[in-house]
Amino acid sequence: MDVRAAFLLLVHLIPVSTTKNGGSSKSRKRVMPDPVTEPPTVDPVYEALLYCNIPSVAEHSMEGHAPHHYKLVSVHVFIRHGDRYPLYAIPKTKRPEIDCTLVASRKPYHPKLEAFVSHMSKGSGASFESPLNSLPLYPNHLLCEMGELTQTGVVQHLQNGQLLRDIYLRKHKLLPNNWSSEQLYLETTGKSRTLQSGLALLYGFLPDFDWKKIYFKHQPSALFCSGSCYCPLRNHYLEKEQRRQYLLRLKNRDLERTYGEMAKIVDIPTKQLRAANPIDSMLCHFCHNVSFPCSRSGCLGMEHFKVIKTHQIEDERERHEKPLYFGYSLLGAHPILNQTVNRMQRAAEGWTDELFTLYSAHDVTLSPVLSALGLLEARFPRFAARLVFELWQDRQKPSEHSVRILYNGADVTFHTSFCHDFHKRSPKPMCPLENLVRFVKRDMFVALDGSSTNYYDACHGEGA
């Protein structure tokens, strides 16, 4: 079966149930497994399609849902960059011919695409923190460069931005009409795909995209750890986790046989093929409906793809069952969660700066945050994934503030470790801000070893 046939088959395999008002309650963009509507066994092709996150009809989401007596105070958004060209090439094969210019006549399309290109082309005077000011503001190569954002990636985030605008600005009036740059906090890593993804989301989100009000800070670390990046114990956990991954791969004879077959087809040593991380390139072929690469000896095929993708899923499952990645996640995610909690506390005290925060990041940013929050059933961050923290004030009790957490539009607040028990004993539709604060300031360290009370001591504790 070729890639196109797989796509057509999957469209019919993914059921969508409809609510009474005609909305889709179970879309194929779900983030938590549903035993009723999903395949009874792990389907690697189904999971790959979810990962591609191909823009389609308007997405139904739960962002901004709250009782009428709650007021939205601030919003904090973590995104993974949109669809990109591979970071690795399979040796001795032709690179996938993906056009990274932005063209209105090509699908996927968004009504704001041409205006986005026009606006970005006039942004040479944009003032960003170095070295961001040296990066291109939109993708523009006839043949994509390695790791470059594609038109699909731009459309994914224009769509994200428009969705959040309809909810947070039009419905909840999060920003005033005369909003200022101080009311936004924008941060991105130094990759063009993260900067461009952030700009695309903002262009879809803001009613008036004014270059004078847009200032991105540069984050050198994919963990967004700012001045708290040195953490020996986190690195120790990461080394152990990488060892676990290696041992799992060695045990998978089907995977090693598949790598051997693929290496023969492209005429390179198996070790060299494995080092080229072929799933990265094959996912690009799959997501863009381009045939897998061939050589004189044959073609890489769907069966190869399925074996490697199945191993990825198995690795993800085992990772959540072992404590190594969880320890890494608690320490890796703490700095960015601590920054978020501090902003929420200031907003709860009445500060009007940084009402909307955007971190434009990577899968290796979002994945530890999801794990640290206890969202073990959440899927690995797809292209253009979004994780949103909402802060709300109860107008009937103005001193009380609550939080909601949403992943790709699904409300996962009561799946988190710090609010799971609260949901069992309280009818309130949200989680108290105090629960999140206590989790970040204390319970994350308790979950590690119980002896540390702060990030520094935890990072330099036993085993570091």
Side-chain angles (χ1 to χ4, degrees), residues 123-124 126-138 190-192 195-196 218:
S124 58
S127 176
F128 300 148
E129 185 174 18
S130 181
L132 300 178
N133 45 20
S134 64
L135 297 177
L137 301 180
Y138 61 102
K191 301 294 184 181
S192 62
L195 175 62
Q196 293 165 6
H218 173 240

Side-chain angles (χ1 to χ4, degrees), residues 254-439:
D254 199 22
L255 179 68
E256 289 303 298
R257 176 188 56 78
T258 298
Y259 278 144
E261 288 179 2
M262 295 170 66
K264 285 183 179 179
I265 290 173
V266 298
D267 191 28
I268 60 173
T270 303
K271 185 176 182 181
Q272 184 182 354
L273 176 90
R274 194 187 301 117
N277 192 22
I279 190 64
D280 184 57
S281 181
M282 294 181 82
L283 274 167
C284 179
H285 286 80
F286 179 87
C287 294
H288 288 266
N289 200 16
V290 175
S291 297
F292 292 131
C294 296
S295 72
R296 293 179 180 178
S297 303
C299 296
L300 305 183
M302 182 61 73
E303 291 308 311
H304 300 129
F305 177 79
K306 287 163 70 175
V307 169
I308 303 176
K309 187 61 185 173
T310 298
H311 177 76
Q312 277 192 331
I313 296 167
E314 173 64 18
D315 178 73
E316 185 82 1
R317 183 192 62 76
E318 184 180 280
R319 191 169 77 179
H320 289 313
E321 292 175 353
K322 302 283 177 87
L324 300 173
Y325 189 75
F326 182 60
Y328 167 78
S329 296
L330 289 170
L331 293 169
H334 184 268
I336 195 170
L337 287 175
N338 193 48
Q339 294 171 40
T340 301
V341 162
N342 289 342
R343 286 195 178 90
M344 284 184 163
Q345 288 180 303
R346 290 196 294 269
E349 292 168 0
W351 287 43
T352 57
D353 289 352
E354 300 178 354
L355 299 180
F356 181 82
T357 298
L358 175 64
Y359 293 106
S360 191
H362 305 265
D363 53 1
V364 293
T365 314
L366 269 66
S367 185
V369 174
L370 293 168
S371 179
L373 293 173
L375 299 172
L376 301 183
E377 292 186 355
R379 282 189 165 92
F380 188 79
R382 69 194 190 189
F383 286 130
R386 65 182 189 276
L387 177 66
V388 179
F389 289 67
E390 298 174 349
L391 177 66
W392 296 83
Q393 180 186 43
D394 188 342
R395 287 190 177 96
Q396 297 175 349
K397 299 177 181 178
S399 62
E400 290 189 6
H401 290 79
S402 301
V403 297
R404 294 178 74 232
I405 298 176
L406 303 105
Y407 183 45
N408 295 335
D411 187 346
V412 295
T413 308
F414 298 117
H415 292 274
T416 61
S417 57
F418 62 86
C419 216
H420 187 263
D421 291 339
F422 176 80
H423 180 49
K424 293 178 180 177
R425 62 177 189 270
S426 172
K428 290 188 176 181
M430 302 183 194
C431 190
L433 173 61
E434 296 77 35
N435 282 38
L436 177 59
V437 172
R438 184 168 57 248
F439 171 73

Side-chain angles (χ1 to χ4, degrees), residues 4 64 74 94 121 150 168 191 215 223 333 349 384 418 426:
R4 179 178 296 277
S74 67
K94 188 177 180 181
S121 65
T150 66
Y168 294 136
K191 301 294 184 181
Y215 182 77
L223 289 175
E349 292 168 0
F418 62 86
S426 172

